[in-house]
Amino acid sequence: MTEAYAGRQVVGMDLHRRRSVLVRMTEDGRKLETARITNSPQALRAVLARAGECPRVVLEATYGWYWAADVLAAAGAEVHLAHPLGVKAFSYRRVKNDERDSADLADLLRMGRLPEAWIAPEPVRAVREVTRFRHKLVQQRTSCKDQVHAVLAKAGITVTHSDLFGRGGGLWLDQLVLAQPYAGKVAALRALIAVLDGQIGLLGEQAAGMLAGEAGYAAVRELPGIGPVLGAVIVAEIGDITRF
C-alpha cells in the first residue's frame, strides 16, 4: 500500500541483518505504506523519498544501526533512536511481526512516548569501537587464563605463583612437565594469551591517541585512579557531557 500525503510523515523502521521493514504513517496515525527492503543505502533512500520533506524516522538501537542512521540523516530525515530496554515489551506481545514492530515504533514517536537513546556522532562511535573491542579481547584473554588454571587443576598441580602469567609465573610454566594433551593445550593457550596481550596493548594506545587533545579526556585523567584506558572508556561511553 502506497499513498501520497502532503503533511509531515512519521516512519518506523525495524532493522535486521539483511532486510528491514518500514511503516510510513501520518502524524495522526493513519498508515500510508509498508515497505520491505534489503539493507542497502539505495533501497532506504528510495523509501524515504516517498516520505516527503524532513520526515521523522525512528529505528531501534540494535544490530548494525550506524549505517541506517547515517543514510537517513544525510537524506534529510529527523532521526530518532529507540532505546532497546525501553521497547523490550515488544518481545512479550502475543502477536509479533516486523510490520507491527515498525508501526509501534512510529506510534511511540508521534505520540511523544519514545524511550530514546543518544545517537553518537562518528568520532565517538570510532572510539567506542576501539574500547569495546579491547574489552572483548580482555574477556577472551581472561577465558584463556582460566582454561590454563583448569588444566593444572585437572593434573593436580598446585600453582605457587600469585600471578601465573607474570614473569615469575611464566618461567614456572616453562619448566612445568605435563603429559599430552595437557601440555599442548597449555602451550596453545599461552600462545593465544601472548597474541591477545599485544592486541590489547595496541588498542589501548590507539584509543588514547584518538582522544589526545580532547578536553574531556584530559579532565577525566586528572581524577585519582583513572588511567588512559579507563579514561578512554568513560569518554567514549558518555560522549558529549553537555547533553546532560
Side-chain angles (χ1 to χ4, degrees):
M1 177 179 67
T2 301
E3 184 179 338
Y5 175 70
R8 194 178 187 194
Q9 297 182 26
V10 179
V11 181
M13 181 176 181
D14 191 33
L15 179 67
H16 293 283
R17 294 193 179 198
R18 295 184 177 85
R19 57 170 179 75
S20 296
V21 175
L22 294 92
V23 171
R24 290 195 299 118
M25 62 175 59
T26 64
E27 283 285 1
D28 60 2
R30 181 163 55 91
K31 189 181 294 185
L32 300 172
E33 177 189 14
T34 298
R36 289 174 170 81
I37 64 171
T38 54
N39 286 344
S40 72
Q42 296 83 1
L44 182 54
R45 282 193 291 264
V47 174
L48 197 66
R50 301 194 291 269
E53 187 176 350
C54 194
R56 301 167 67 203
V57 185
V58 53
L59 65 156
E60 191 176 344
T62 185
Y63 182 90
W65 64 267
Y66 286 4
W67 75 271
D70 290 342
V71 169
L72 290 167
E78 178 189 303
V79 186
H80 298 263
L81 197 62
H83 198 293
L85 294 179
V87 295
K88 189 177 180 180
F90 285 8
S91 61
Y92 300 116
R93 290 188 312 226
R94 293 184 64 183
V95 178
K96 177 174 172 57
N97 56 54
D98 297 340
E99 181 178 349
R100 179 73 179 273
D101 287 348
S102 300
D104 283 352
L105 286 171
D107 280 332
L108 288 173
L109 177 60
R110 69 181 183 80
M111 292 187 293
R113 296 170 54 189
L114 181 71
E116 293 199 46
W118 181 54
I119 301 178
E122 174 54 34
V124 176
R125 289 186 226 161
V127 179
R128 283 181 178 179
E129 199 72 15
V130 173
T131 57
R132 291 176 180 180
F133 183 44
R134 182 188 179 280
H135 178 65
K136 289 289 186 182
L137 295 188
V138 169
Q139 290 179 318
Q140 292 178 21
R141 182 178 64 182
T142 299
S143 174
C144 289
K145 290 181 177 181
D146 289 343
Q147 290 179 69
V148 172
H149 280 282
V151 170
L152 299 181
K154 289 175 184 177
I157 296 173
T158 301
V159 178
T160 58
H161 292 265
S162 58
D163 182 6
L164 185 58
F165 304 96
R167 180 175 176 81
L171 292 173
W172 182 77
L173 282 172
D174 289 341
Q175 299 168 7
L176 190 64
V177 178
L178 287 170
Q180 293 294 352
Y182 307 107
K185 184 175 181 180
V186 169
L189 287 167
R190 292 181 70 192
L192 287 173
I193 291 168
V195 172
L196 290 169
D197 279 340
Q199 292 300 313
I200 289 166
L202 288 174
L203 289 168
E205 294 174 2
Q206 184 180 355
M210 294 169 74
L211 292 169
E214 185 77 24
Y217 180 61
V220 167
R221 289 291 314 281
E222 293 296 321
L223 298 173
I226 305 296
V229 172
L230 181 56
V233 171
I234 292 172
V235 172
E237 295 303 325
I238 292 177
D240 182 9
I241 192 66
T242 62
R243 66 192 178 93
F244 294 100

